[in-house]
Amino acid sequence: MPEANPDSNTVVAVSRHGPVALLELARPEKFNCLNSAVHQAIEAALDAAEADPTCRALLIAAQGKHFCTGADLAEVQGLRAAGRFDEFIALGHRVLCRLEASPLPVVIAVQGLCLAGGIELALAGDVILAGEGAKLGDQHAQFGLVPGWGGSQRLPRRVGQARALDLMFSARWLSAKEAQDWGLVAQVIPDAELRERALDYCTTLATRSRPGLAAMKRLAREGADLPLTDALALEQRLALEAMAGPDVDEGLTAFVARRPPRFQSS
């Protein structure tokens, strides 16, 4: 049985499913809106997952009907009135950048609405899996707001500038299928199967070499912003470093023996 967070009042429920850490946004009555406490809880859970060598993948999902409809506007209004809204923006940036830079693969499972700050959170992950009924979009323009947690930068990098500006300007929602066609969503899954299949997906990732996946993630993330010659040099260096590691020994031995590899590196 998974080990679950015993605090029923927590804003993020954390549980372990074998080598997979599951983080669930746990404010369904608030459409899982993001406030400071949620960001801090995500960061604490990420710290714990990264420090545990038995954790091989991180799945972020949500309780209730919707994944996340954005920032908690009650907190936004209070912090604006107190002249402290910059702290809220900085906290969200820090946590989402931590997710993006984590050596662990970060998978996002989206059901229902994934809007504004919710899509910014999803974009900080590596792979987005969506239920068939999911809707994804950016609502900032509808209310005179500007994305503040990286959406204006990550969305164009994911889907291209023209599509990103269309989505941000119009504030329209994409269906899960449209989001997949755009390259925003990796897989569309029947709603009733989303959680189970997302856990299965992460469990498969957990069988891979942890440093190997970390290197691939680093290459994809860092290489995209480098000139091609520099990106290829980075790939060459990391590939050579991986070749000298114990996981390659195990992988090649398993290939010759025609058995699944049993990676041990943390």
Side-chain angles (χ1 to χ4, degrees), residues 72-82 85:
D72 187 326
L73 295 184
E75 184 170 9
V76 167
Q77 290 175 325
L79 289 171
R80 283 188 72 228
F85 186 62

Side-chain angles (χ1 to χ4, degrees), residues 31-132:
F31 300 101
N32 292 311
C33 286
L34 303 173
N35 61 13
S36 296
V38 174
H39 281 304
Q40 290 162 355
I42 291 172
E43 187 170 40
L46 179 61
D47 286 340
E50 289 179 349
D52 183 350
T54 69
C55 182
R56 299 289 179 132
L58 183 66
L59 174 60
I60 298 180
Q63 297 178 359
K65 185 177 179 181
H66 301 296
F67 178 73
C68 176
T69 58
D72 187 326
L73 295 184
E75 184 170 9
V76 167
Q77 290 175 325
L79 289 171
R80 283 188 72 228
R84 295 173 51 204
F85 186 62
D86 59 326
E87 299 174 15
F88 190 61
I89 292 291
L91 174 61
H93 261 284
R94 185 183 81 222
V95 173
L96 298 194
C97 285
R98 282 285 318 280
L99 285 173
E100 191 173 51
S102 174
L104 294 171
V106 178
V107 177
I108 313 291
V110 171
Q111 82 275 17
L113 298 179
C114 177
L115 307 174
I119 200 170
E120 291 182 291
L121 171 59
L123 285 165
D126 301 313
V127 176
I128 302 174
L129 310 178
E132 287 178 330

Side-chain angles (χ1 to χ4, degrees), residues 207-208 247 250-252 254-255 259-263:
T207 67
R208 312 306 189 206
D247 279 356
E250 167 59 17
L252 295 178
F255 177 79
R259 62 166 175 80
R262 296 183 288 270
F263 298 118

